[in-house]
Amino acid sequence: MSHRKFERPRHGSLGFLPRKRTKHHHGKIKSFPKDDPSKPPHFTAFMTYKAGMTHIVRDMDRPGSKLHKKEVAEAVTVLEAPPMIVCGLVGYVETPRGIRALTSVWAGHLSDECKRRFYKNWYRSKQKAFTKYQKKWSEASKGSEGSPMAAEINRAKKYCQIIRAVCHTQVGKVKIGQKKAHIKEIQINGGTTEQKVDFVTNLFEQEVKVADVFGQDEMIDCIGATK
């Protein structure tokens, strides 16, 4: 088109392109909150599932607006948040080209939900994922070496600046007909690197509830797929 008689601004944001069904239905955390070493170690994110939508009636608090102090109906999304399981940690070092994963430590026992994520076809596979790692872990805990994977944990404490916990959801507790858990790395903020590593290793194979991460009436960001 060489020229047009009337202008026509485009419709819709280009930020949502391409408008098609997503390949994976979990949001990507592109940046975590800034670390504050003065606070105790804590999680910075939590994985939930969309359960549905409803509406609420609330009082608008917007001085200068016609609707100020009036009731408005708004759409809200209901999220189901079964507790997450911590199944590992990854230590990163800061380099001039960004962060680089230096070491990772996994828990001694992984649930089948979690292991399913490592396979395209679970029932046809031999389901051998992490069996050797599990054996190494149990031998180390039985033997005189003390805690298993101590070398990797000490390496993370000594060299890493950023510690992220590897967590998986308990998808069996959400009735969506799926058995394969979603796995995400969640950054641990607060405290020194040693405190962060100890914080995560003490939570291995433990549940983390949404109340442990976020408080009542807290303002948080939501990341999800639109389609």
Side-chain angles (χ1 to χ4, degrees):
M1 193 187 289
S2 55
H3 63 276
R4 64 177 334 138
K5 216 165 182 182
F6 303 106
E7 62 181 68
R8 176 188 167 275
R10 63 158 288 108
H11 301 304
S13 164
L14 290 166
F16 292 100
L17 289 182
R19 284 184 182 277
K20 61 177 185 182
R21 189 135 177 107
T22 179
K23 287 202 297 286
H24 42 70
H25 287 267
H26 51 81
K28 185 180 179 184
I29 306 174
K30 296 199 178 148
S31 65
F32 286 95
K34 208 166 161 44
D35 196 0
D36 182 8
S38 61
K39 290 180 180 164
H42 58 275
F43 283 88
T44 52
F46 197 88
M47 287 183 280
T48 61
Y49 293 93
K50 181 173 173 176
M53 291 187 78
T54 180
H55 64 277
I56 56 162
V57 176
R58 71 177 183 99
D59 289 328
M60 177 74 90
D61 181 35
R62 197 176 291 165
S65 164
K66 284 181 186 172
L67 293 170
H68 183 49
K69 289 187 177 172
K70 287 194 171 67
E71 285 191 341
V72 289
E74 281 186 344
V76 289
T77 302
V78 181
L79 299 174
E80 194 169 341
M84 296 189 304
I85 303 282
V86 181
C87 58
L89 72 88
V90 186
Y92 290 89
V93 285
E94 285 170 350
T95 68
R97 293 191 302 273
I99 61 172
R100 179 176 73 84
L102 179 76
T103 180
S104 58
V105 180
W106 291 81
H109 302 280
L110 298 183
S111 67
D112 279 358
E113 286 184 312
C114 179
K115 285 184 197 164
R116 276 174 185 271
R117 177 54 62 190
F118 307 126
Y119 289 99
K120 187 79 177 154
N121 196 330
W122 173 252
Y123 80 95
R124 223 180 261 172
S125 67
K126 291 181 179 165
Q127 300 167 16
K128 298 279 279 181
F130 277 90
T131 47
K132 287 180 182 172
Y133 196 90
Q134 211 165 321
K135 196 175 166 194
K136 207 194 306 182
W137 187 277
S138 59
E139 278 170 11
S141 50
K142 275 181 207 160
S144 57
E145 294 151 43
S147 77
M149 304 301 152
E152 292 298 320
I153 290 169
N154 290 336
R155 200 155 160 248
K157 284 181 181 178
K158 195 172 175 186
Y159 300 112
C160 295
Q161 285 90 35
I162 296 168
I163 301 294
R164 290 182 181 170
V166 181
C167 302
H168 74 81
T169 55
Q170 297 188 67
V171 78
K173 293 190 174 180
V174 193
K175 296 286 180 277
I176 56 170
Q178 187 177 323
K179 295 176 185 173
K180 192 184 284 192
H182 291 94
I183 301 181
K184 273 259 178 286
E185 281 182 19
I186 293 173
Q187 192 160 303
I188 305 297
N189 280 358
T192 61
T193 307
E194 282 185 26
Q195 288 170 328
K196 287 175 189 170
V197 173
D198 291 336
F199 174 74
V200 180
T201 47
N202 291 336
L203 282 171
F204 274 2
E205 300 171 41
Q206 307 284 325
E207 287 190 342
V208 177
K209 295 187 171 67
V210 71
D212 304 337
V213 182
F214 299 122
Q216 185 81 23
D217 299 333
E218 192 180 333
M219 287 283 275
I220 55 171
D221 294 331
C222 290
I223 305 169
T226 52
K227 204 169 185 184

Short mmCIF file of all heavy atoms in Angstrom, two decimals, residues 91-95 100-103 151-163 193-194 197:
data_model
loop_
_atom_site.label_atom_id
_atom_site.label_comp_id
_atom_site.label_asym_id
_atom_site.label_seq_id
_atom_site.Cartn_x
_atom_site.Cartn_y
_atom_site.Cartn_z
N GLY A 91 23.63 -23.80 41.86
CA GLY A 91 24.45 -22.65 42.24
C GLY A 91 25.00 -21.96 41.00
O GLY A 91 25.49 -22.63 40.08
N TYR A 92 24.88 -20.64 40.96
CA TYR A 92 25.36 -19.87 39.82
C TYR A 92 26.50 -18.95 40.24
O TYR A 92 26.50 -18.42 41.35
CB TYR A 92 24.23 -18.98 39.26
CG TYR A 92 23.13 -19.74 38.56
CD1 TYR A 92 22.04 -20.22 39.28
CD2 TYR A 92 23.17 -19.98 37.19
CE1 TYR A 92 21.01 -20.91 38.65
CE2 TYR A 92 22.15 -20.67 36.55
CZ TYR A 92 21.08 -21.13 37.29
OH TYR A 92 20.08 -21.80 36.66
N VAL A 93 27.44 -18.73 39.31
CA VAL A 93 28.48 -17.71 39.54
C VAL A 93 28.23 -16.57 38.56
O VAL A 93 27.78 -16.79 37.43
CB VAL A 93 29.91 -18.27 39.34
CG1 VAL A 93 30.32 -19.13 40.51
CG2 VAL A 93 30.04 -19.05 38.05
N GLU A 94 28.54 -15.37 39.00
CA GLU A 94 28.38 -14.19 38.13
C GLU A 94 29.64 -14.02 37.29
O GLU A 94 30.75 -13.97 37.83
CB GLU A 94 28.10 -12.95 38.98
CG GLU A 94 26.68 -12.93 39.52
CD GLU A 94 26.44 -11.86 40.55
OE1 GLU A 94 27.43 -11.24 40.99
OE2 GLU A 94 25.28 -11.65 40.93
N THR A 95 29.46 -13.94 35.99
CA THR A 95 30.58 -13.72 35.07
C THR A 95 30.32 -12.42 34.31
O THR A 95 29.21 -11.89 34.35
CB THR A 95 30.70 -14.88 34.06
OG1 THR A 95 29.56 -14.83 33.18
CG2 THR A 95 30.73 -16.24 34.74
N ARG A 100 26.38 -18.04 35.26
CA ARG A 100 26.68 -19.37 34.71
C ARG A 100 26.46 -20.40 35.80
O ARG A 100 26.89 -20.21 36.94
CB ARG A 100 28.14 -19.39 34.26
CG ARG A 100 28.61 -20.72 33.69
CD ARG A 100 30.03 -20.60 33.17
NE ARG A 100 31.00 -20.51 34.25
CZ ARG A 100 31.51 -21.56 34.89
NH1 ARG A 100 31.12 -22.78 34.60
NH2 ARG A 100 32.42 -21.40 35.84
N ALA A 101 25.77 -21.49 35.46
CA ALA A 101 25.51 -22.56 36.44
C ALA A 101 26.82 -23.27 36.74
O ALA A 101 27.49 -23.76 35.84
CB ALA A 101 24.48 -23.53 35.89
N LEU A 102 27.19 -23.30 38.02
CA LEU A 102 28.45 -23.94 38.41
C LEU A 102 28.22 -25.36 38.89
O LEU A 102 28.93 -26.28 38.50
CB LEU A 102 29.11 -23.12 39.53
CG LEU A 102 30.42 -23.67 40.05
CD1 LEU A 102 31.55 -23.39 39.07
CD2 LEU A 102 30.78 -23.10 41.41
N THR A 103 27.23 -25.56 39.73
CA THR A 103 27.01 -26.89 40.29
C THR A 103 25.53 -27.09 40.61
O THR A 103 24.81 -26.12 40.82
CB THR A 103 27.86 -27.08 41.57
OG1 THR A 103 27.63 -28.37 42.10
CG2 THR A 103 27.50 -26.05 42.64
N ALA A 151 30.81 -32.55 48.79
CA ALA A 151 31.78 -31.82 47.96
C ALA A 151 31.07 -30.77 47.11
O ALA A 151 31.52 -29.61 47.02
CB ALA A 151 32.54 -32.79 47.06
N GLU A 152 29.94 -31.16 46.50
CA GLU A 152 29.20 -30.22 45.64
C GLU A 152 28.57 -29.11 46.46
O GLU A 152 28.54 -27.95 46.04
CB GLU A 152 28.10 -30.97 44.86
CG GLU A 152 28.62 -31.94 43.83
CD GLU A 152 29.44 -31.27 42.74
OE1 GLU A 152 29.07 -30.18 42.28
OE2 GLU A 152 30.49 -31.85 42.37
N ILE A 153 28.07 -29.47 47.66
CA ILE A 153 27.44 -28.46 48.52
C ILE A 153 28.47 -27.43 48.98
O ILE A 153 28.23 -26.22 48.95
CB ILE A 153 26.73 -29.15 49.72
CG1 ILE A 153 25.49 -29.91 49.23
CG2 ILE A 153 26.33 -28.13 50.78
CD1 ILE A 153 24.86 -30.83 50.24
N ASN A 154 29.67 -27.93 49.34
CA ASN A 154 30.74 -27.01 49.76
C ASN A 154 31.21 -26.14 48.61
O ASN A 154 31.56 -24.97 48.81
CB ASN A 154 31.92 -27.80 50.34
CG ASN A 154 31.57 -28.43 51.67
OD1 ASN A 154 30.67 -27.95 52.36
ND2 ASN A 154 32.24 -29.51 52.03
N ARG A 155 31.21 -26.72 47.41
CA ARG A 155 31.61 -25.96 46.22
C ARG A 155 30.62 -24.80 45.98
O ARG A 155 31.02 -23.68 45.66
CB ARG A 155 31.61 -26.90 45.02
CG ARG A 155 32.42 -26.43 43.85
CD ARG A 155 32.88 -27.60 43.00
NE ARG A 155 33.23 -27.09 41.69
CZ ARG A 155 32.56 -27.35 40.58
NH1 ARG A 155 31.49 -28.10 40.62
NH2 ARG A 155 32.95 -26.85 39.43
N ALA A 156 29.34 -25.10 46.16
CA ALA A 156 28.31 -24.06 46.00
C ALA A 156 28.49 -22.97 47.04
O ALA A 156 28.38 -21.77 46.74
CB ALA A 156 26.91 -24.67 46.10
N LYS A 157 28.77 -23.38 48.29
CA LYS A 157 28.94 -22.39 49.36
C LYS A 157 30.15 -21.50 49.12
O LYS A 157 30.14 -20.30 49.43
CB LYS A 157 29.14 -23.12 50.71
CG LYS A 157 27.86 -23.70 51.28
CD LYS A 157 28.14 -24.37 52.61
CE LYS A 157 26.87 -24.98 53.19
NZ LYS A 157 27.12 -25.68 54.45
N LYS A 158 31.20 -22.09 48.54
CA LYS A 158 32.47 -21.37 48.40
C LYS A 158 32.47 -20.39 47.22
O LYS A 158 32.95 -19.27 47.33
CB LYS A 158 33.59 -22.39 48.22
CG LYS A 158 34.99 -21.82 48.43
CD LYS A 158 36.02 -22.94 48.44
CE LYS A 158 37.43 -22.37 48.52
NZ LYS A 158 38.45 -23.43 48.38
N TYR A 159 31.93 -20.83 46.07
CA TYR A 159 32.11 -20.05 44.85
C TYR A 159 30.86 -19.33 44.34
O TYR A 159 30.96 -18.36 43.61
CB TYR A 159 32.64 -20.95 43.71
CG TYR A 159 33.96 -21.59 44.02
CD1 TYR A 159 34.05 -22.97 44.22
CD2 TYR A 159 35.12 -20.84 44.10
CE1 TYR A 159 35.27 -23.58 44.51
CE2 TYR A 159 36.34 -21.43 44.38
CZ TYR A 159 36.41 -22.80 44.58
OH TYR A 159 37.61 -23.37 44.87
N CYS A 160 29.66 -19.83 44.68
CA CYS A 160 28.46 -19.30 44.03
C CYS A 160 27.97 -18.00 44.68
O CYS A 160 28.13 -17.79 45.88
CB CYS A 160 27.34 -20.33 44.08
SG CYS A 160 27.75 -21.78 43.12
N GLN A 161 27.38 -17.15 43.83
CA GLN A 161 26.76 -15.92 44.34
C GLN A 161 25.23 -16.04 44.37
O GLN A 161 24.57 -15.42 45.17
CB GLN A 161 27.12 -14.71 43.45
CG GLN A 161 28.54 -14.21 43.63
CD GLN A 161 29.51 -14.90 42.70
OE1 GLN A 161 29.18 -15.23 41.58
NE2 GLN A 161 30.73 -15.12 43.17
N ILE A 162 24.68 -16.84 43.44
CA ILE A 162 23.23 -16.98 43.35
C ILE A 162 22.86 -18.44 43.58
O ILE A 162 23.46 -19.34 42.97
CB ILE A 162 22.73 -16.50 41.96
CG1 ILE A 162 23.01 -15.01 41.79
CG2 ILE A 162 21.25 -16.78 41.78
CD1 ILE A 162 22.83 -14.51 40.38
N ILE A 163 21.89 -18.66 44.46
CA ILE A 163 21.41 -20.03 44.73
C ILE A 163 19.93 -20.09 44.36
O ILE A 163 19.14 -19.26 44.79
CB ILE A 163 21.60 -20.40 46.22
CG1 ILE A 163 23.07 -20.33 46.64
CG2 ILE A 163 21.01 -21.78 46.51
CD1 ILE A 163 23.99 -21.34 45.99
N THR A 193 25.55 -16.72 51.13
CA THR A 193 25.43 -17.90 50.26
C THR A 193 25.37 -19.19 51.08
O THR A 193 24.59 -20.09 50.78
CB THR A 193 26.62 -17.96 49.28
OG1 THR A 193 26.72 -16.71 48.61
CG2 THR A 193 26.44 -19.05 48.24
N GLU A 194 26.18 -19.26 52.15
CA GLU A 194 26.17 -20.45 53.00
C GLU A 194 24.79 -20.67 53.64
O GLU A 194 24.28 -21.79 53.68
CB GLU A 194 27.22 -20.31 54.12
CG GLU A 194 28.62 -20.59 53.64
CD GLU A 194 29.63 -20.57 54.78
OE1 GLU A 194 29.23 -20.82 55.93
OE2 GLU A 194 30.79 -20.30 54.50
N VAL A 197 22.36 -22.00 51.00
CA VAL A 197 22.56 -23.42 50.68
C VAL A 197 22.01 -24.30 51.81
O VAL A 197 21.31 -25.29 51.57
CB VAL A 197 24.06 -23.71 50.43
CG1 VAL A 197 24.29 -25.21 50.26
CG2 VAL A 197 24.54 -22.97 49.19
#
